[in-house]
Amino acid sequence: GNSVTQMEGPVTLSEEAFLTINCTYTATGYPSLFWYVQYPGEGLQLLLKATKADDKGSNKGFEATYRKETTSFHLEKGSVQVSDSAVYFCAPGFQKLVFGTGTRLLVSP
Amino acid sequence: DAGVTQSPTHLIKTRGQQVTLRCSPKSGHDTVSWYQQALGQGPQFIFQYYEEEERQRGNFPDRFSGHQFPNYSSELNVNALLLGDSALYLCASRSGTGSREQYFGPGTRLTVT
């Protein structure tokens, strides 16, 4: 089955710093890849997606590229804001999504 | 356009009891999945319903069962509750024939005492 590995958190950054959250996965076939974000006490919000190799998903300044050769889908943002503080989940999947433990991001002013 | 809705928001039950959680999918979606998220963990897939049938199931015991209604809404039932069933239960919906994106509801926080 599919599995995903994300970098351990928390990731602590100052406002306007550059963000990278690493994600690698194992999967049979070529799953779609997703990044979800979870704010405290809430459900998951879809942040971005990519459905095939070399696709770049982007939303709200966040980007991630589907790298089939390295089975990776790293999340990046050029300048983080305090409001980006949340837990981020990388998830490969077809019918069902597989999640890791997530990466907590803390952004200070 | 209403997103995925779940009820109740919070629930407290005693060990051995039974619970039913409810989910209404996003407008235009016909496929519903349920996930369990323990504190500090990522969501774990429980099962998925499409056309009123369970299509896929994760590694959860038979105490976890579900149902999908003709209007695509769904219920998750858990029997003989254990302390370890305390978690956030998330419902996600998607179109069965369209995009693979799944949209999540706010979840139901279940506490078993």
Side-chain angles (χ1 to χ4, degrees), chain B residues 1-58:
Chain B
D1 177 22
V4 180
T5 60
Q6 292 186 242
S7 63
T9 305
H10 296 87
L11 203 51
I12 299 175
K13 290 286 189 178
T14 304
R15 274 179 300 175
Q17 286 187 318
Q18 179 263 345
V19 68
T20 297
L21 311 181
R22 295 176 176 82
C23 171
S24 291
K26 183 178 169 65
S27 178
H29 288 183
D30 55 8
T31 302
V32 173
S33 299
W34 287 92
Y35 293 80
Q36 180 195 66
Q37 186 179 21
L39 199 60
Q41 302 297 314
Q44 301 293 311
F45 176 78
I46 302 175
F47 43 54
Q48 182 181 85
Y49 277 83
Y50 173 65
E51 292 186 334
E52 301 180 48
E53 291 189 11
E54 183 181 294
R55 299 292 178 169
Q56 281 201 56
R57 189 179 183 91

Short mmCIF file of all heavy atoms in Angstrom, two decimals, chain B residues 1-58:
data_model
loop_
_atom_site.label_atom_id
_atom_site.label_comp_id
_atom_site.label_asym_id
_atom_site.label_seq_id
_atom_site.Cartn_x
_atom_site.Cartn_y
_atom_site.Cartn_z
N ASP B 1 -22.57 27.76 -1.82
CA ASP B 1 -22.38 26.32 -2.01
C ASP B 1 -21.86 25.72 -0.70
O ASP B 1 -20.77 26.03 -0.26
CB ASP B 1 -21.39 26.07 -3.14
CG ASP B 1 -21.10 24.60 -3.34
OD1 ASP B 1 -21.95 23.79 -2.92
OD2 ASP B 1 -20.06 24.26 -3.91
N ALA B 2 -22.69 24.88 -0.07
CA ALA B 2 -22.31 24.31 1.21
C ALA B 2 -21.20 23.30 1.01
O ALA B 2 -21.19 22.51 0.06
CB ALA B 2 -23.52 23.65 1.86
N GLY B 3 -20.27 23.33 1.94
CA GLY B 3 -19.22 22.32 1.91
C GLY B 3 -19.69 21.08 2.64
O GLY B 3 -20.89 20.86 2.84
N VAL B 4 -18.75 20.26 3.06
CA VAL B 4 -19.06 19.05 3.79
C VAL B 4 -19.47 19.43 5.22
O VAL B 4 -18.77 20.21 5.87
CB VAL B 4 -17.84 18.11 3.83
CG1 VAL B 4 -18.16 16.84 4.60
CG2 VAL B 4 -17.37 17.78 2.42
N THR B 5 -20.57 18.90 5.67
CA THR B 5 -21.02 19.18 7.03
C THR B 5 -21.09 17.89 7.82
O THR B 5 -21.39 16.81 7.27
CB THR B 5 -22.39 19.88 7.05
OG1 THR B 5 -23.36 19.03 6.42
CG2 THR B 5 -22.34 21.20 6.30
N GLN B 6 -20.81 18.01 9.13
CA GLN B 6 -20.84 16.85 10.01
C GLN B 6 -21.56 17.21 11.30
O GLN B 6 -21.54 18.34 11.75
CB GLN B 6 -19.41 16.41 10.35
CG GLN B 6 -18.64 15.86 9.18
CD GLN B 6 -17.30 15.30 9.60
OE1 GLN B 6 -16.24 15.79 9.17
NE2 GLN B 6 -17.31 14.28 10.45
N SER B 7 -22.19 16.19 11.87
CA SER B 7 -22.84 16.38 13.16
C SER B 7 -22.76 15.10 13.98
O SER B 7 -22.70 13.99 13.42
CB SER B 7 -24.32 16.77 12.96
OG SER B 7 -25.03 15.71 12.31
N PRO B 8 -22.70 15.23 15.31
CA PRO B 8 -22.55 16.47 16.05
C PRO B 8 -21.10 16.97 16.00
O PRO B 8 -20.25 16.31 15.43
CB PRO B 8 -22.94 16.05 17.46
CG PRO B 8 -22.49 14.62 17.55
CD PRO B 8 -22.71 14.05 16.19
N THR B 9 -20.86 18.11 16.62
CA THR B 9 -19.51 18.65 16.66
C THR B 9 -18.66 17.92 17.69
O THR B 9 -17.50 17.59 17.45
CB THR B 9 -19.55 20.15 17.00
OG1 THR B 9 -20.40 20.80 16.08
CG2 THR B 9 -18.16 20.74 16.96
N HIS B 10 -19.26 17.70 18.85
CA HIS B 10 -18.59 17.01 19.94
C HIS B 10 -19.54 15.97 20.52
O HIS B 10 -20.77 16.14 20.48
CB HIS B 10 -18.19 17.97 21.07
CG HIS B 10 -17.19 18.99 20.67
ND1 HIS B 10 -17.53 20.20 20.11
CD2 HIS B 10 -15.83 18.98 20.75
CE1 HIS B 10 -16.43 20.89 19.86
NE2 HIS B 10 -15.39 20.17 20.24
N LEU B 11 -18.94 14.93 21.10
CA LEU B 11 -19.74 13.86 21.65
C LEU B 11 -18.93 13.18 22.76
O LEU B 11 -17.73 12.92 22.58
CB LEU B 11 -20.03 12.86 20.54
CG LEU B 11 -21.21 11.92 20.59
CD1 LEU B 11 -22.49 12.65 20.89
CD2 LEU B 11 -21.31 11.18 19.27
N ILE B 12 -19.59 12.91 23.86
CA ILE B 12 -18.94 12.16 24.94
C ILE B 12 -19.75 10.89 25.19
O ILE B 12 -20.97 10.95 25.39
CB ILE B 12 -18.85 13.00 26.23
CG1 ILE B 12 -18.03 14.25 25.98
CG2 ILE B 12 -18.22 12.16 27.36
CD1 ILE B 12 -17.99 15.20 27.16
N LYS B 13 -19.07 9.75 25.15
CA LYS B 13 -19.73 8.46 25.37
C LYS B 13 -18.95 7.66 26.40
O LYS B 13 -17.78 7.96 26.70
CB LYS B 13 -19.79 7.68 24.05
CG LYS B 13 -20.75 8.26 23.02
CD LYS B 13 -22.18 7.99 23.41
CE LYS B 13 -23.14 8.36 22.33
NZ LYS B 13 -24.55 8.05 22.70
N THR B 14 -19.59 6.63 26.90
CA THR B 14 -18.98 5.73 27.88
C THR B 14 -18.57 4.44 27.19
O THR B 14 -19.22 4.02 26.21
CB THR B 14 -19.98 5.44 29.01
OG1 THR B 14 -20.40 6.68 29.59
CG2 THR B 14 -19.36 4.56 30.08
N ARG B 15 -17.52 3.83 27.70
CA ARG B 15 -17.07 2.55 27.15
C ARG B 15 -18.24 1.56 27.03
O ARG B 15 -19.07 1.45 27.93
CB ARG B 15 -16.01 1.92 28.06
CG ARG B 15 -14.61 2.37 27.80
CD ARG B 15 -13.64 1.72 28.76
NE ARG B 15 -13.94 2.04 30.15
CZ ARG B 15 -13.30 1.52 31.18
NH1 ARG B 15 -12.33 0.64 30.98
NH2 ARG B 15 -13.63 1.85 32.41
N GLY B 16 -18.27 0.85 25.92
CA GLY B 16 -19.30 -0.14 25.68
C GLY B 16 -20.53 0.40 24.95
O GLY B 16 -21.32 -0.39 24.42
N GLN B 17 -20.68 1.72 24.93
CA GLN B 17 -21.83 2.29 24.25
C GLN B 17 -21.63 2.28 22.74
O GLN B 17 -20.57 1.90 22.22
CB GLN B 17 -22.07 3.72 24.73
CG GLN B 17 -22.66 3.81 26.12
CD GLN B 17 -23.04 5.24 26.48
OE1 GLN B 17 -22.31 6.19 26.21
NE2 GLN B 17 -24.21 5.39 27.09
N GLN B 18 -22.66 2.70 22.04
CA GLN B 18 -22.64 2.79 20.59
C GLN B 18 -22.82 4.25 20.19
O GLN B 18 -23.45 5.04 20.92
CB GLN B 18 -23.78 1.94 20.01
CG GLN B 18 -23.90 1.95 18.51
CD GLN B 18 -24.93 2.95 18.00
OE1 GLN B 18 -25.76 3.45 18.74
NE2 GLN B 18 -24.83 3.28 16.72
N VAL B 19 -22.27 4.63 19.04
CA VAL B 19 -22.38 6.02 18.59
C VAL B 19 -22.63 6.06 17.09
O VAL B 19 -22.19 5.16 16.34
CB VAL B 19 -21.08 6.79 18.93
CG1 VAL B 19 -19.89 6.30 18.11
CG2 VAL B 19 -21.28 8.29 18.76
N THR B 20 -23.36 7.08 16.66
CA THR B 20 -23.61 7.31 15.25
C THR B 20 -23.21 8.73 14.89
O THR B 20 -23.67 9.68 15.55
CB THR B 20 -25.09 7.10 14.89
OG1 THR B 20 -25.44 5.73 15.15
CG2 THR B 20 -25.34 7.40 13.41
N LEU B 21 -22.37 8.87 13.90
CA LEU B 21 -21.93 10.17 13.41
C LEU B 21 -22.49 10.38 12.01
O LEU B 21 -22.63 9.42 11.25
CB LEU B 21 -20.40 10.25 13.38
CG LEU B 21 -19.67 9.81 14.65
CD1 LEU B 21 -18.16 9.96 14.47
CD2 LEU B 21 -20.15 10.57 15.84
N ARG B 22 -22.76 11.64 11.66
CA ARG B 22 -23.43 11.93 10.40
C ARG B 22 -22.62 12.89 9.53
O ARG B 22 -21.91 13.75 10.06
CB ARG B 22 -24.82 12.47 10.66
CG ARG B 22 -25.73 11.46 11.32
CD ARG B 22 -27.08 12.01 11.68
NE ARG B 22 -27.94 10.94 12.23
CZ ARG B 22 -27.90 10.52 13.49
NH1 ARG B 22 -27.06 11.07 14.35
NH2 ARG B 22 -28.70 9.55 13.88
N CYS B 23 -22.80 12.73 8.23
CA CYS B 23 -22.05 13.54 7.26
C CYS B 23 -22.92 13.84 6.05
O CYS B 23 -23.58 12.94 5.50
CB CYS B 23 -20.80 12.78 6.82
SG CYS B 23 -19.91 13.53 5.44
N SER B 24 -22.91 15.09 5.63
CA SER B 24 -23.53 15.47 4.37
C SER B 24 -22.43 15.94 3.42
O SER B 24 -21.66 16.85 3.76
CB SER B 24 -24.54 16.60 4.58
OG SER B 24 -25.65 16.13 5.29
N PRO B 25 -22.35 15.36 2.24
CA PRO B 25 -21.24 15.71 1.33
C PRO B 25 -21.43 17.08 0.70
O PRO B 25 -22.51 17.66 0.74
CB PRO B 25 -21.31 14.60 0.27
CG PRO B 25 -22.74 14.18 0.26
CD PRO B 25 -23.21 14.32 1.68
N LYS B 26 -20.36 17.55 0.13
CA LYS B 26 -20.40 18.80 -0.65
C LYS B 26 -21.35 18.62 -1.82
O LYS B 26 -21.47 17.51 -2.37
CB LYS B 26 -18.98 19.08 -1.14
CG LYS B 26 -18.77 20.36 -1.91
CD LYS B 26 -17.30 20.49 -2.28
CE LYS B 26 -17.06 21.60 -3.29
NZ LYS B 26 -17.39 22.93 -2.73
N SER B 27 -22.03 19.70 -2.18
CA SER B 27 -22.97 19.66 -3.29
C SER B 27 -22.30 19.13 -4.55
O SER B 27 -21.19 19.56 -4.93
CB SER B 27 -23.50 21.07 -3.53
OG SER B 27 -24.38 21.09 -4.64
N GLY B 28 -22.95 18.17 -5.20
CA GLY B 28 -22.41 17.60 -6.43
C GLY B 28 -21.53 16.39 -6.21
O GLY B 28 -21.11 15.74 -7.18
N HIS B 29 -21.22 16.06 -4.97
CA HIS B 29 -20.39 14.90 -4.66
C HIS B 29 -21.25 13.70 -4.30
O HIS B 29 -22.29 13.84 -3.66
CB HIS B 29 -19.45 15.21 -3.50
CG HIS B 29 -18.34 16.15 -3.86
ND1 HIS B 29 -17.36 16.51 -2.96
CD2 HIS B 29 -18.05 16.78 -5.01
CE1 HIS B 29 -16.51 17.33 -3.56
NE2 HIS B 29 -16.91 17.52 -4.80
N ASP B 30 -20.77 12.51 -4.69
CA ASP B 30 -21.55 11.31 -4.45
C ASP B 30 -20.75 10.23 -3.72
O ASP B 30 -21.28 9.15 -3.46
CB ASP B 30 -22.07 10.74 -5.78
CG ASP B 30 -20.95 10.49 -6.78
OD1 ASP B 30 -19.76 10.59 -6.41
OD2 ASP B 30 -21.28 10.20 -7.95
N THR B 31 -19.52 10.50 -3.40
CA THR B 31 -18.64 9.53 -2.74
C THR B 31 -18.20 10.09 -1.40
O THR B 31 -17.73 11.23 -1.33
CB THR B 31 -17.41 9.24 -3.62
OG1 THR B 31 -17.84 8.76 -4.89
CG2 THR B 31 -16.52 8.19 -2.97
N VAL B 32 -18.37 9.30 -0.36
CA VAL B 32 -18.05 9.73 1.00
C VAL B 32 -17.05 8.77 1.63
O VAL B 32 -17.24 7.55 1.56
CB VAL B 32 -19.32 9.81 1.87
CG1 VAL B 32 -18.95 10.11 3.32
CG2 VAL B 32 -20.26 10.88 1.34
N SER B 33 -16.02 9.34 2.23
CA SER B 33 -15.03 8.55 2.97
C SER B 33 -15.00 9.02 4.41
O SER B 33 -15.25 10.20 4.70
CB SER B 33 -13.64 8.71 2.36
OG SER B 33 -13.61 8.26 1.02
N TRP B 34 -14.67 8.10 5.31
CA TRP B 34 -14.52 8.42 6.72
C TRP B 34 -13.07 8.15 7.14
O TRP B 34 -12.46 7.15 6.73
CB TRP B 34 -15.47 7.57 7.56
CG TRP B 34 -16.90 7.97 7.45
CD1 TRP B 34 -17.84 7.48 6.58
CD2 TRP B 34 -17.59 8.93 8.27
NE1 TRP B 34 -19.05 8.09 6.80
CE2 TRP B 34 -18.93 8.97 7.83
CE3 TRP B 34 -17.20 9.75 9.33
CZ2 TRP B 34 -19.88 9.80 8.41
CZ3 TRP B 34 -18.14 10.58 9.91
CH2 TRP B 34 -19.46 10.61 9.46
N TYR B 35 -12.57 9.04 7.99
CA TYR B 35 -11.22 8.92 8.52
C TYR B 35 -11.26 9.13 10.03
O TYR B 35 -12.08 9.91 10.54
CB TYR B 35 -10.30 9.99 7.91
CG TYR B 35 -10.02 9.82 6.43
CD1 TYR B 35 -10.95 10.24 5.49
CD2 TYR B 35 -8.84 9.26 5.98
CE1 TYR B 35 -10.71 10.10 4.13
CE2 TYR B 35 -8.57 9.12 4.63
CZ TYR B 35 -9.51 9.54 3.71
OH TYR B 35 -9.27 9.39 2.36
N GLN B 36 -10.34 8.47 10.71
CA GLN B 36 -10.16 8.65 12.14
C GLN B 36 -8.83 9.34 12.38
O GLN B 36 -7.81 8.89 11.87
CB GLN B 36 -10.17 7.29 12.87
CG GLN B 36 -9.99 7.39 14.38
CD GLN B 36 -9.63 6.05 15.00
OE1 GLN B 36 -8.56 5.50 14.74
NE2 GLN B 36 -10.51 5.52 15.83
N GLN B 37 -8.85 10.41 13.16
CA GLN B 37 -7.61 11.11 13.47
C GLN B 37 -7.41 11.16 14.97
O GLN B 37 -8.08 11.91 15.68
CB GLN B 37 -7.62 12.54 12.90
CG GLN B 37 -6.29 13.25 13.08
CD GLN B 37 -6.27 14.66 12.50
OE1 GLN B 37 -7.31 15.28 12.29
NE2 GLN B 37 -5.07 15.17 12.21
N ALA B 38 -6.50 10.33 15.47
CA ALA B 38 -6.14 10.37 16.89
C ALA B 38 -5.30 11.62 17.15
O ALA B 38 -4.69 12.19 16.23
CB ALA B 38 -5.36 9.12 17.26
N LEU B 39 -5.26 12.03 18.39
CA LEU B 39 -4.56 13.25 18.77
C LEU B 39 -3.08 13.19 18.37
O LEU B 39 -2.40 12.21 18.69
CB LEU B 39 -4.69 13.46 20.27
CG LEU B 39 -4.43 14.86 20.79
CD1 LEU B 39 -5.39 15.86 20.19
CD2 LEU B 39 -4.50 14.89 22.32
N GLY B 40 -2.64 14.20 17.64
CA GLY B 40 -1.24 14.27 17.25
C GLY B 40 -0.86 13.37 16.08
O GLY B 40 0.32 13.28 15.74
N GLN B 41 -1.85 12.72 15.47
CA GLN B 41 -1.58 11.81 14.36
C GLN B 41 -2.25 12.31 13.09
O GLN B 41 -3.07 13.23 13.11
CB GLN B 41 -2.11 10.42 14.70
CG GLN B 41 -1.53 9.81 15.95
CD GLN B 41 -0.04 9.59 15.84
OE1 GLN B 41 0.46 9.08 14.83
NE2 GLN B 41 0.70 10.00 16.85
N GLY B 42 -1.90 11.67 11.99
CA GLY B 42 -2.58 11.95 10.75
C GLY B 42 -3.85 11.12 10.64
O GLY B 42 -4.01 10.13 11.34
N PRO B 43 -4.76 11.52 9.79
CA PRO B 43 -6.00 10.75 9.61
C PRO B 43 -5.73 9.36 9.06
O PRO B 43 -4.82 9.16 8.25
CB PRO B 43 -6.79 11.58 8.60
CG PRO B 43 -6.23 12.96 8.70
CD PRO B 43 -4.78 12.77 9.02
N GLN B 44 -6.52 8.39 9.53
CA GLN B 44 -6.46 7.01 9.05
C GLN B 44 -7.78 6.67 8.35
O GLN B 44 -8.85 6.90 8.91
CB GLN B 44 -6.23 6.06 10.22
CG GLN B 44 -4.94 6.34 10.99
CD GLN B 44 -3.71 6.04 10.18
OE1 GLN B 44 -3.59 4.98 9.57
NE2 GLN B 44 -2.77 6.98 10.14
N PHE B 45 -7.66 6.09 7.18
CA PHE B 45 -8.83 5.76 6.37
C PHE B 45 -9.63 4.63 7.01
O PHE B 45 -9.08 3.57 7.33
CB PHE B 45 -8.37 5.35 4.97
CG PHE B 45 -9.44 4.88 4.04
CD1 PHE B 45 -10.27 5.79 3.42
CD2 PHE B 45 -9.60 3.53 3.78
CE1 PHE B 45 -11.26 5.35 2.54
CE2 PHE B 45 -10.58 3.09 2.91
CZ PHE B 45 -11.41 3.99 2.29
N ILE B 46 -10.95 4.85 7.16
CA ILE B 46 -11.83 3.82 7.72
C ILE B 46 -12.53 3.07 6.60
O ILE B 46 -12.37 1.87 6.46
CB ILE B 46 -12.87 4.43 8.68
CG1 ILE B 46 -12.18 5.18 9.82
CG2 ILE B 46 -13.76 3.31 9.24
CD1 ILE B 46 -13.15 5.92 10.74
N PHE B 47 -13.33 3.78 5.80
CA PHE B 47 -13.99 3.19 4.64
C PHE B 47 -14.55 4.27 3.73
O PHE B 47 -14.57 5.45 4.07
CB PHE B 47 -15.09 2.17 5.00
CG PHE B 47 -16.00 2.57 6.13
CD1 PHE B 47 -16.70 3.77 6.13
CD2 PHE B 47 -16.19 1.70 7.19
CE1 PHE B 47 -17.55 4.11 7.16
CE2 PHE B 47 -17.04 2.02 8.23
CZ PHE B 47 -17.72 3.22 8.22
N GLN B 48 -14.98 3.80 2.56
CA GLN B 48 -15.53 4.71 1.56
C GLN B 48 -16.84 4.15 1.02
O GLN B 48 -16.96 2.94 0.79
CB GLN B 48 -14.56 4.88 0.39
CG GLN B 48 -15.04 5.84 -0.68
CD GLN B 48 -14.04 5.96 -1.81
OE1 GLN B 48 -14.04 5.16 -2.75
NE2 GLN B 48 -13.17 6.95 -1.72
N TYR B 49 -17.81 5.04 0.79
CA TYR B 49 -19.11 4.65 0.27
C TYR B 49 -19.38 5.35 -1.05
O TYR B 49 -19.12 6.55 -1.22
CB TYR B 49 -20.22 4.99 1.27
CG TYR B 49 -20.39 3.94 2.32
CD1 TYR B 49 -19.57 3.93 3.44
CD2 TYR B 49 -21.32 2.92 2.18
CE1 TYR B 49 -19.69 2.94 4.39
CE2 TYR B 49 -21.44 1.93 3.13
CZ TYR B 49 -20.63 1.95 4.24
OH TYR B 49 -20.74 0.96 5.18
N TYR B 50 -19.90 4.57 -1.96
CA TYR B 50 -20.30 5.08 -3.28
C TYR B 50 -21.49 4.25 -3.74
O TYR B 50 -21.49 3.01 -3.61
CB TYR B 50 -19.14 4.96 -4.27
CG TYR B 50 -19.49 5.31 -5.70
CD1 TYR B 50 -19.88 6.59 -6.05
CD2 TYR B 50 -19.44 4.34 -6.71
CE1 TYR B 50 -20.20 6.91 -7.35
CE2 TYR B 50 -19.75 4.66 -8.01
CZ TYR B 50 -20.13 5.94 -8.34
OH TYR B 50 -20.45 6.27 -9.63
N GLU B 51 -22.50 4.91 -4.24
CA GLU B 51 -23.73 4.23 -4.67
C GLU B 51 -24.28 3.33 -3.57
O GLU B 51 -24.68 2.18 -3.81
CB GLU B 51 -23.49 3.44 -5.96
CG GLU B 51 -23.23 4.34 -7.15
CD GLU B 51 -23.13 3.57 -8.46
OE1 GLU B 51 -22.78 2.38 -8.44
OE2 GLU B 51 -23.41 4.19 -9.51
N GLU B 52 -24.23 3.85 -2.36
CA GLU B 52 -24.82 3.21 -1.18
C GLU B 52 -24.14 1.90 -0.79
O GLU B 52 -24.70 1.13 -0.01
CB GLU B 52 -26.32 2.99 -1.38
CG GLU B 52 -27.09 4.28 -1.65
CD GLU B 52 -28.58 4.06 -1.86
OE1 GLU B 52 -29.20 3.36 -1.05
OE2 GLU B 52 -29.12 4.61 -2.85
N GLU B 53 -22.93 1.68 -1.31
CA GLU B 53 -22.21 0.47 -0.94
C GLU B 53 -20.81 0.81 -0.44
O GLU B 53 -20.20 1.80 -0.89
CB GLU B 53 -22.09 -0.47 -2.15
CG GLU B 53 -23.40 -1.09 -2.57
CD GLU B 53 -23.18 -2.19 -3.61
OE1 GLU B 53 -22.03 -2.59 -3.83
OE2 GLU B 53 -24.18 -2.62 -4.21
N GLU B 54 -20.31 0.01 0.47
CA GLU B 54 -18.95 0.16 0.94
C GLU B 54 -18.01 -0.33 -0.16
O GLU B 54 -18.05 -1.49 -0.56
CB GLU B 54 -18.72 -0.64 2.22
CG GLU B 54 -17.33 -0.46 2.80
CD GLU B 54 -17.13 -1.30 4.06
OE1 GLU B 54 -17.79 -1.03 5.08
OE2 GLU B 54 -16.30 -2.23 4.01
N ARG B 55 -17.13 0.55 -0.63
CA ARG B 55 -16.27 0.22 -1.77
C ARG B 55 -14.86 -0.15 -1.34
O ARG B 55 -14.21 -0.95 -2.00
CB ARG B 55 -16.21 1.41 -2.73
CG ARG B 55 -17.56 1.80 -3.30
CD ARG B 55 -18.10 0.73 -4.22
NE ARG B 55 -19.42 1.06 -4.74
CZ ARG B 55 -20.03 0.39 -5.72
NH1 ARG B 55 -19.44 -0.65 -6.27
NH2 ARG B 55 -21.22 0.76 -6.13
N GLN B 56 -14.38 0.46 -0.30
CA GLN B 56 -13.04 0.18 0.21
C GLN B 56 -13.09 0.29 1.72
O GLN B 56 -13.89 1.05 2.28
CB GLN B 56 -12.00 1.17 -0.31
CG GLN B 56 -11.51 0.93 -1.70
CD GLN B 56 -10.17 1.59 -1.94
OE1 GLN B 56 -9.19 1.37 -1.24
NE2 GLN B 56 -10.13 2.44 -2.94
N ARG B 57 -12.20 -0.47 2.36
CA ARG B 57 -12.16 -0.45 3.81
C ARG B 57 -10.72 -0.45 4.27
O ARG B 57 -9.88 -1.15 3.69
CB ARG B 57 -12.90 -1.65 4.38
CG ARG B 57 -13.09 -1.59 5.88
CD ARG B 57 -13.85 -2.80 6.40
NE ARG B 57 -14.08 -2.69 7.83
CZ ARG B 57 -15.15 -2.13 8.37
NH1 ARG B 57 -16.11 -1.67 7.60
NH2 ARG B 57 -15.27 -2.05 9.68
N GLY B 58 -10.44 0.33 5.28
CA GLY B 58 -9.12 0.33 5.88
C GLY B 58 -9.03 -0.73 6.96
O GLY B 58 -9.92 -1.59 7.11
#
